[in-house]
């Protein structure tokens, strides 16, 4: 069962950095918050529909397929927001339990841009 989500904004549009008291702090931008909110809802509904358990302390394999029309789109920049999403949506306990990660980039028309992912327990 694959979860289909809208393609996230670029990593630079999701996460920002600021300096407070001489220390760097990261934050999620408004654009990032909007994407997370939309995708958290879709992810939770997917979990309920297919009775996906919360994977707590289970070694996992995650497959991510990026469909994009941007030739220069960095594939590795998609992994972090997608993995963060799975944790925020309470599908996985913590992304430290992901032992295999497979990412693929495929070209498509602008209207068909998306991310498809699946989760498989390894134990």
């Amino acid at each position: 069962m694959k979860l289909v989500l809208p393609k996230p904004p670029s990593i630079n549009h999701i996460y920002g950095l600021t300096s407070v008291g001489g220390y760097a702090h990261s934050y999620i931008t408004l654009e990032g918050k909007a994407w997370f909110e939309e995708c958290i809802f879709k992810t939770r509904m997917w979990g309920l529909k297919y009775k996906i358990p919360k994977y707590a302390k289970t070694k996992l394999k995650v497959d991510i397929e990026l469909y994009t029309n941007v030739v220069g789109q960095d594939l590795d920049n998609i992994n972090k927001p997608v993995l963060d999403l799975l944790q925020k949506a309470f599908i996985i306990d913590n992304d430290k339990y992901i032992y295999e990660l497979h990412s693929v980039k495929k070209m498509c028309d602008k209207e068909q841009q998306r991310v498809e992912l699946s989760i498989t327990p390894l134990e």
Side-chain angles (χ1 to χ4, degrees):
M1 295 161 287
K2 285 189 179 182
L3 172 60
V4 180
L5 299 168
K7 181 181 135 187
S10 74
I11 198 110
N12 294 330
H13 288 201
I14 292 179
Y15 303 100
L17 286 174
T18 187
S19 177
V20 177
Y23 296 97
H25 297 276
S26 63
Y27 64 93
I28 299 175
T29 66
L30 292 177
E31 188 177 358
K33 286 179 184 178
W35 181 81
F36 276 117
E37 285 176 15
E38 177 184 0
C39 293
I40 286 170
F41 177 77
K42 288 182 178 190
T43 303
R44 287 182 180 164
M45 293 299 103
W46 172 75
L48 291 172
K49 180 178 180 180
Y50 294 107
K51 297 179 176 65
I52 305 295
K54 178 178 178 181
Y55 294 111
K57 298 179 181 165
T58 303
K59 291 181 181 179
L60 300 169
K61 173 185 162 194
V62 176
D63 293 291
I64 300 173
E65 294 179 29
L66 167 65
Y67 292 84
T68 183
N69 73 328
V70 180
V71 175
Q73 174 87 52
D74 287 351
L75 180 60
D76 61 332
N77 286 343
I78 294 300
N79 294 334
K80 179 165 179 47
V82 170
L83 299 180
D84 286 351
L85 168 70
L86 292 175
Q87 192 169 326
K88 289 176 185 289
F90 304 115
I91 298 294
I92 64 173
D93 192 45
N94 192 302
D95 57 9
K96 71 181 180 184
Y97 295 108
I98 296 172
Y99 279 70
E100 287 186 37
L101 178 62
H102 301 258
S103 300
V104 177
K105 177 170 70 172
K106 299 179 179 182
M107 301 306 295
C108 69
D109 294 330
K110 185 175 184 175
E111 300 78 31
Q112 297 174 325
Q113 294 186 101
R114 66 194 182 280
V115 171
E116 294 182 5
L117 66 123
S118 62
I119 307 167
T120 310
L122 291 175
E123 297 178 339

